[in-house]
Amino acid sequence: MYSLIRPLLFTLDAERSHNLTLGLLRAAYRLPGAPALAHRCYAGRIPPLPVDVMGLCFPNPLGLAAGLDKDARCLAPLQDFGFGFIELGTVTTQPQPGNPKPRLFRLTHHAALINRMGFNSSGLDVFLANLAAQPRRGLVGINLGKNKLTPDSRAIDDYLTGLRAVYAHADYVTLNVSSPNTPGLRALQDEAPLTALLAALKNEQTILTRTHDRRVPIALKIAPDLDDIGIDAIARLLVEHNMEAVIATNTTITRPGLAQEPLARESGGLSGPPLRAASTQVIRRLHATLQGRIPIIGVGGISNADYACEKLVAGADLIQLYTAFIYRGPGVVGEIVRGLAEKVRAHGATNMAEALRRARTI
């Protein structure tokens, strides 16, 4: 069905099309029987492929990356497409409009996107109200960012405020310090500011664990544009601060293989297939350095089961997609999970963890 709708959606500006699609999903879900039909057509056809990561049991390893549903407007329908988990956001403490439009571009010949959204967000209050109004049928991560007008010296305050607000509502929380579209944000990946950020957030996590009688894991999302020295430094800090996961990677400011693409001149973060190799290399380096001490969530250019498997064999424990969902629709979720289940069987394994142990030793 999506293959019929997509040509119409792609006649519109990319951001307008995105917002229209989310609005149509919300409207459709108000129709009697629509949720059950969606579940039967998508999630109901996906085989179980459970993975235990961060102390959580994921029904399958494929999640939706942050950025698609920034304001938690469409959790209910997204859950029924069969994702093993949904990551909502990025949400900022206070509402902000983001960068001027146009700020989202399709590179259709490359099945890629460039965005410079700039953390457009309705803010925590609206985000949490939207979340509370919808049923929860799966694991939900919440991705936190800092407001553009927050001085860099006060960035930690934004993340602390966000963590306190979402803690009771999240299965895990992600600290987004790697978007290229908020000035100065990526500097938080440097050793001194990252040390201060992780120390403050982990201390607050300890307090909130006692208050809520549950420990919510915290993941750090990093950029694909780091060199090996930077990756190794981050890996060391992840271990020192007992972080529960690292997400690799965000979008890239480079333009690999796009020299002849006119839209490649647009500023912002690139996602989709051109990002695939760079994100996989970061995962491989993290895996070699971390040696299984910190779980890795791999994202960047996943559009089929082979590319998903590539990320997992490189060292990821879970994976996420976003751009492929825009280009291929909800059917891509089941296609990838079924493909991964077949690869598990092909390795003569009974579960994903066993299959990966075998694949990584070949």
Side-chain angles (χ1 to χ4, degrees):
M1 181 180 293
Y2 185 74
S3 62
L4 300 176
I5 299 173
R6 197 190 89 164
L8 297 176
L9 293 174
F10 275 37
T11 63
L12 303 174
D13 165 79
E15 186 173 355
R16 184 181 177 191
S17 172
H18 181 93
N19 292 331
L20 175 63
T21 302
L22 293 185
L24 290 173
L25 276 176
R26 291 183 70 192
Y29 249 60
R30 298 189 186 101
L31 298 175
L37 178 62
H39 184 88
R40 185 164 63 250
C41 291
Y42 294 105
R45 297 180 179 179
I46 294 179
L49 195 61
V51 182
D52 293 325
V53 179
M54 299 187 288
L56 302 169
C57 183
F58 294 78
N60 69 67
L62 179 61
L64 177 66
L68 191 135
D69 190 2
K70 291 175 177 289
D71 294 323
R73 292 188 291 162
C74 281
L75 175 61
L78 290 172
Q79 290 175 135
D80 283 328
F81 291 145
F83 288 106
F85 59 108
I86 305 289
E87 188 167 318
L88 301 170
T90 297
V91 60
T92 56
T93 303
Q94 300 299 322
Q96 62 179 28
N99 291 324
K101 299 177 182 179
R103 54 194 182 180
L104 180 62
F105 307 91
R106 302 186 196 95
L107 285 66
T108 308
H109 293 302
H110 305 274
L113 296 172
I114 290 175
N115 92 80
R116 51 171 180 264
M117 304 298 286
F119 286 171
N120 54 306
S121 172
S122 296
L124 279 169
D125 290 344
V126 171
F127 180 96
L128 291 174
N130 288 341
L131 189 58
Q134 298 174 81
R136 291 278 289 271
R137 292 185 295 277
L139 295 174
V140 174
I142 298 179
N143 185 297
L144 302 177
K146 89 170 189 73
N147 280 103
K148 182 178 181 179
L149 296 181
T150 299
D152 294 345
S153 60
R154 301 295 300 274
I156 291 175
D157 293 342
D158 274 15
Y159 289 101
L160 285 171
T161 299
L163 181 65
R164 292 171 188 140
V166 307
Y167 195 88
H169 310 280
D171 292 299
Y172 72 91
V173 173
T174 298
L175 310 179
N176 187 345
V177 297
S178 51
S179 168
N181 303 314
T182 295
L185 186 74
R186 284 190 167 186
L188 292 174
Q189 296 175 116
D190 295 342
E191 187 165 358
L194 186 57
T195 298
L197 176 67
L198 297 185
L201 270 291
K202 292 298 285 187
N203 181 67
E204 187 64 25
Q205 180 193 43
T206 299
I207 296 170
L208 292 168
T209 297
R210 291 197 296 264
T211 302
H212 294 274
D213 196 28
R214 63 187 286 260
R215 187 173 185 82
V216 176
I218 302 178
L220 180 74
K221 188 166 187 176
I222 66 172
D225 306 315
L226 298 160
D227 60 19
D228 287 349
I229 294 173
I231 294 169
D232 292 348
I234 288 174
R236 177 174 54 79
L237 290 176
L238 292 169
V239 173
E240 286 182 4
H241 293 277
N242 298 309
M243 291 294 288
E244 282 83 8
V246 56
I247 301 180
T249 64
N250 214 315
T251 56
T252 180
I253 57 174
T254 67
R255 298 292 185 262
L258 298 177
Q260 305 304 315
E261 170 58 61
L263 283 175
R265 293 191 293 268
E266 295 288 349
S267 63
L270 172 71
S271 63
L275 171 61
R276 187 181 121 228
S279 65
T280 301
Q281 182 54 39
V282 174
I283 292 166
R284 192 172 287 115
R285 182 76 184 193
L286 281 170
H287 180 66
T289 305
L290 292 171
Q291 292 292 306
R293 289 172 291 181
I294 307 290
I296 300 169
I297 302 173
V299 54
I302 296 172
S303 58
N304 58 47
D306 287 339
Y307 295 163
C309 191
E310 176 184 76
K311 290 279 193 291
L312 292 163
V313 173
D317 300 274
L318 299 168
I319 48 176
Q320 294 177 320
L321 59 75
Y322 171 179
T323 305
F325 189 77
I326 301 298
Y327 278 93
R328 302 194 54 206
V332 72
V333 181
E335 178 188 314
I336 290 175
V337 178
R338 287 190 292 271
L340 290 176
E342 180 56 38
K343 291 178 184 296
V344 169
R345 290 190 293 271
H347 276 91
T350 58
N351 56 59
M352 177 64 71
E354 181 185 354
L356 288 177
R357 282 194 298 270
R358 296 182 182 185
R360 289 169 184 167
T361 57
I362 295 175

